Amino acid sequence: TCVDGRVRYGLAASSDFSRWVRVNTSISCTHSLFTLNANGANGGSITNGNCYCWKAQFDCVSPTAASATASTLKASIDPSAASAQQFSAGTLYTYYDINTTSLDPPLGPISGGTSVTISGLNFVDYGDILKVKVNSSVLDANVTISGGNMIATIPASAGAGTTSLEVSLNGQQFTQDSIAYTYYNDPTFSSVSPQLFPVRGETVVTISGSGFDVKNERTNGYIGGSFLRVAAATQVWETSAYEIVADHVSNSEIRFNATAHIEDELTLKVSLNAQQYVHVPGIAVGVYPEVQLYSIFPKSGPVSGDTTVAVKGGFYNTSRYLGEFGEGANQTQVTCSNFQQSVTLCGAEGGNCTCVDGRVRYGLAASSDFSRWVRVNTSISCTHSLFTLNANGANGGSITNGNCYCWKAQFDCVSPTAASATASTLKASIDPSAASAQQFSAGTLYTYYDINTTSLDPPLGPISGGTSVTISGLNFVDYGDILKVKVNSSVLDANVTISGGNMIATIPASAGAGTTSLEVSLNGQQFTQDSIAYTYYNDPTFSSVSPQLFPVRGETVVTISGSGFDVKNERTNGYIGGSFLRVAAATQVWETSAYEIVADHVSNSEIRFNATAHIEDELTLKVSLNAQQYVHVPGIAVGVYPEVQLYSIFPKSGPVSGDTTVAVKGGFYNTSRYLGEFGEGANQTQVTCSNFQQSVTLCGAEGGNCTCVDGRV
């Protein structure tokens, strides 16, 4: 192979040019191919020689040209200046006129390696040596021309500073346009704030450190625009999540507006030339999921505010939590606190995982990579194929037989005051940056109410408790929170309900008698302040009932004597009576009530009631001071005797002088007093009778007849 030369066979040197064959690529070194004009054909007697490549050249310095043009160059070696010049055939030689106009990027780190695009006029590759000179270093390796621009890789520099860059199309003459190129030291980093932002972005993030005051000689200002950039990677540098332009603030601070991104933990890197990045070490940045508010409790509170609302959702652990109550002009933002989170095992491979108000993760119990969590509000099959890991591949990566875990998070917001009772909303945010636009979840219903209590029925009960009270008031609505009643410093929530606009509750026991206040709450936190009075009393005791007999038709005033009847009715500011003081009677057991009637309070030791019609029987009395809970009147039986029926008398006549003993037969109860009434109207005379007699005799057997004259069977 002999490029730009001639080949000779057999001998290395000779002035006999006929012994040389011109080749520009390669020739077979075979003697038969070489003809020697003096010594005969076929190389003469030299049959086994070597081949030699002979080259020759000289230098010509090009003269100036009037303009850039495609020209020619011919050569001559005619030794005689006097003789006619004899030149070779011409070859293409091109005169060019170039200059450089811009450089992109115009800066790079002192470590070099920056790939620059040099723009200019008339950049053409004529097949010569393309060169770039920067910082006194001349480059020709990997210098190319593409699309009319020259591409080159900048070498390293011993230090930072601005130098000039020039180019050459032929490796000799360089442009003189003094295009500026700046070497800089890599910046250092101290903090990132905030270190969290939501998936939808729209958050201004500040990176603090040193070394950001690098001049852009193109604009004569500090770097910015398209050169200052921040990129984020999810796992390794090469996996770029996004790359966005940042703003130069000072030598110690740059800022960028975080854009939308998948939820993940990111590694940040910064470039001052939009090409070579420097890792921000040791500072992980989290992209938390779109704030999702799953539930709140309680869902209501008074217009006075101060309700602590537990807000549950998909929240990242950060330093700032916000709640937004209301809409539009009624909107109030509050700072929340008391962040809590938990991760619990909720299912094994192939089973179900129930995770209310939380997210489920497959395989690992904890991770800040939110894309590994799936939101469920009921249950999900714990199967690895349902879980996609953005960095480690689909179907749970290589984890195929793991458990499922339920991750829950919540924080507390205290409701502000409201102008009026209304159905409002509550939104949540965990945006840690006060400087960025607040990003809130969708709203969930939160109701402001304004309630009060107006009356209580009954307003009293025994110290043993158990009284079922109906509390009347304004705006009692069950919003699905914890209904509570507070009485005598005891708070009740069991069996507290709302029905027909009233609250129903069962009063607890008390250590002693007396009057206390009763208040209610619709959300289990704030209670009314209306001081509705409720009175605890000791059960009364009993000593006698008079009379202990009364007829079936009633119409008898019965007095019950004892102690403990002086119980105040705070509603009327008097002693109990009216509909609360009642007497009931049972024929066999308490549950079999014969009747229940209102009684009158006479004194602490006496109450009275007007016995009404009743079947004839022996009764047990019981007394209630609150028309609900009764106390047995022990050891005192009361009889209801039958309607007095007179069957016959004998004799049926007597002298006007009187003194006739008349036997009166009828349906009479055995008692201590028997009366007879002779005559009518003005001639009527009542006498006391005596000698009560009664008998019971056998009058018939099963299936037979019983004759009973003037008696009862």
Side-chain angles (χ1 to χ4, degrees):
T1 298
C2 185
V3 180
D4 289 336
R6 292 190 171 201
V7 178
R8 176 186 175 94
Y9 181 86
L11 296 176
S14 174
S15 59
D16 181 358
F17 284 100
S18 64
R19 299 172 184 261
W20 297 93
V21 177
R22 164 80 190 279
V23 295
N24 200 35
T25 54
S26 64
I27 189 172
S28 176
C29 187
T30 305
H31 74 284
S32 61
L33 299 179
F34 295 82
T35 301
L36 306 185
N37 66 335
N39 297 324
N42 301 329
S45 61
I46 304 171
T47 60
N48 291 293
N50 295 316
C51 282
Y52 297 87
C53 178
W54 170 67
K55 297 182 180 182
Q57 74 175 59
F58 55 80
D59 295 334
C60 297
V61 177
S62 65
T64 60
S67 62
T69 185
S71 183
T72 60
L73 173 59
K74 303 172 186 176
S76 175
I77 60 167
D78 190 342
S80 172
S83 65
Q85 301 301 337
Q86 298 176 349
F87 284 89
S88 67
T91 190
L92 179 65
Y93 179 84
T94 302
Y95 280 98
Y96 59 75
D97 186 10
I98 65 170
N99 67 347
T100 52
T101 56
S102 65
L103 184 61
D104 187 32
L107 69 168
I110 61 173
S111 58
T114 305
S115 177
V116 295
T117 298
I118 308 158
S119 299
L121 297 177
N122 307 318
F123 286 175
V124 178
D125 187 350
Y126 295 109
D128 297 328
I129 299 176
L130 302 173
K131 288 188 178 182
V132 172
K133 182 167 63 176
V134 59
N135 198 30
S136 301
S137 296
V138 176
L139 316 172
D140 56 19
N142 298 321
V143 178
T144 60
I145 289 178
S146 175
N149 298 316
M150 190 174 291
I151 313 298
T153 301
I154 299 297
S157 172
T162 298
T163 185
S164 63
L165 179 145
E166 306 296 350
V167 304
S168 173
L169 298 187
N170 65 1
Q172 290 187 32
Q173 293 102 326
F174 288 84
T175 54
Q176 301 296 314
D177 300 312
S178 299
I179 293 294
Y181 180 81
T182 300
Y183 281 101
Y184 59 77
N185 291 306
D186 283 336
T188 59
F189 309 97
S190 58
S191 67
V192 176
S193 178
Q195 285 183 247
L196 289 171
F197 53 87
V199 292
R200 67 172 179 267
E202 303 171 11
T203 302
V204 175
V205 180
T206 299
I207 300 177
S208 299
S210 179
F212 300 128
D213 274 357
V214 176
K215 290 291 288 289
N216 178 1
E217 297 295 335
R218 181 186 300 175
T219 61
N220 200 32
Y222 291 115
I223 51 98
S226 61
F227 297 117
L228 181 58
R229 295 193 183 184
V230 175
T234 54
Q235 297 294 327
V236 291
W237 282 53
E238 292 70 24
T239 307
S240 180
Y242 59 60
E243 185 179 57
I244 52 180
V245 173
D247 294 320
H248 173 272
V249 179
S250 67
N251 186 56
S252 60
E253 189 175 297
I254 62 173
R255 292 177 184 160
F256 68 96
N257 192 2
T259 57
H261 189 278
I262 60 170
E263 51 195 84
D264 208 342
E265 184 171 294
L266 304 179
T267 299
L268 293 184
K269 48 186 182 176
V270 173
S271 176
L272 305 187
N273 68 352
Q275 186 180 130
Q276 289 150 293
Y277 284 85
V278 181
H279 184 208
V280 179
I283 305 174
V285 176
V287 181
Y288 58 80
E290 190 74 25
V291 177
Q292 294 175 318
L293 196 162
Y294 301 157
S295 71
I296 62 172
F297 191 84
K299 297 182 276 297
S300 65
V303 293
S304 58
D306 206 32
T307 302
T308 299
V309 182
V311 181
K312 300 179 181 181
F315 307 136
Y316 203 104
N317 185 6
T318 182
S319 58
R320 191 162 183 257
Y321 309 93
L322 299 172
E324 192 172 81
F325 290 79
E327 301 284 348
N330 298 320
Q331 186 179 86
T332 302
Q333 190 178 108
V334 298
T335 299
C336 306
S337 61
N338 192 30
F339 176 81
Q340 302 173 54
Q341 63 179 346
S342 64
V343 177
T344 56
L345 179 68
C346 67
E349 170 70 29
N352 282 327
C353 168
T354 298
C355 184
V356 179
D357 292 335
R359 290 189 169 202
V360 178
R361 177 187 171 91
Y362 179 87
L364 299 176
S367 174
S368 57
D369 179 0
F370 282 100
S371 61
R372 299 166 188 253
W373 295 93
V374 175
R375 161 81 197 280
V376 296
N377 203 30
T378 51
S379 64
I380 189 173
S381 175
C382 186
T383 305
H384 73 285
S385 60
L386 298 179
F387 295 80
T388 300
L389 308 187
N390 66 330
N392 298 325
N395 303 330
S398 60
I399 305 170
T400 58
N401 291 291
N403 295 318
C404 282
Y405 298 86
C406 177
W407 171 69
K408 297 183 179 183
Q410 72 175 66
F411 52 81
D412 294 335
C413 298
V414 177
S415 67
T417 59
S420 62
T422 184
S424 184
T425 59
L426 173 57
K427 302 172 185 175
S429 174
I430 60 169
D431 191 344
S433 171
S436 64
Q438 302 303 337
Q439 299 175 347
F440 285 87
S441 68
T444 192
L445 179 65
Y446 180 83
T447 302
Y448 280 100
Y449 57 75
D450 187 8
I451 65 170
N452 65 349
T453 52
T454 56
S455 64
L456 184 61
D457 186 30
L460 70 168
I463 62 172
S464 58
T467 306
S468 176
V469 294
T470 298
I471 308 156
S472 299
L474 296 178
N475 307 318
F476 286 174
V477 178
D478 188 349
Y479 295 107
D481 298 327
I482 299 177
L483 302 172
K484 289 188 177 182
V485 171
K486 181 167 64 175
V487 58
N488 198 30
S489 300
S490 296
V491 176
L492 317 171
D493 55 21
N495 299 320
V496 178
T497 59
I498 289 178
S499 176
N502 297 316
M503 191 174 292
I504 314 298
T506 301
I507 299 297
S510 172
T515 298
T516 185
S517 63
L518 179 145
E519 305 296 350
V520 304
S521 173
L522 299 186
N523 67 359
Q525 291 187 35
Q526 293 104 325
F527 289 84
T528 54
Q529 302 294 317
D530 301 313
S531 298
I532 294 294
Y534 181 81
T535 301
Y536 281 101
Y537 58 77
N538 292 304
D539 284 336
T541 59
F542 309 98
S543 57
S544 66
V545 177
S546 178
Q548 288 183 247
L549 286 172
F550 53 87
V552 292
R553 68 171 179 270
E555 303 173 7
T556 302
V557 175
V558 181
T559 299
I560 300 177
S561 300
S563 178
F565 300 128
D566 274 357
V567 175
K568 290 289 288 289
N569 178 0
E570 296 295 334
R571 182 185 300 174
T572 62
N573 201 30
Y575 292 115
I576 50 98
S579 62
F580 296 117
L581 181 58
R582 296 191 183 184
V583 175
T587 56
Q588 296 295 326
V589 290
W590 282 55
E591 291 71 21
T592 307
S593 178
Y595 59 63
E596 185 179 57
I597 54 178
V598 173
D600 296 320
H601 173 272
V602 179
S603 67
N604 186 54
S605 59
E606 189 176 297
I607 61 174
R608 292 177 183 160
F609 68 96
N610 193 0
T612 58
H614 191 278
I615 62 171
E616 51 192 89
D617 207 341
E618 185 173 290
L619 304 179
T620 300
L621 295 184
K622 50 185 181 176
V623 174
S624 175
L625 304 187
N626 68 352
Q628 185 180 129
Q629 290 150 294
Y630 283 85
V631 181
H632 185 207
V633 180
I636 305 174
V638 177
V640 180
Y641 56 81
E643 187 73 31
V644 177
Q645 294 175 321
L646 195 159
Y647 301 156
S648 69
I649 62 174
F650 188 85
K652 300 189 243 341
S653 65
V656 295
S657 58
D659 206 29
T660 301
T661 298
V662 181
V664 181
K665 299 179 180 180
F668 308 137
Y669 203 102
N670 184 6
T671 182
S672 59
R673 191 162 180 256
Y674 308 93
L675 300 171
E677 192 172 78
F678 291 79
E680 298 288 344
N683 297 319
Q684 186 181 80
T685 301
Q686 190 178 100
V687 298
T688 299
C689 306
S690 62
N691 192 26
F692 175 81
Q693 302 172 53
Q694 61 180 349
S695 65
V696 177
T697 57
L698 180 64
C699 66
E702 171 68 30
N705 287 325
C706 171
T707 300
C708 183
V709 179
D710 293 334
R712 292 191 170 196
V713 177

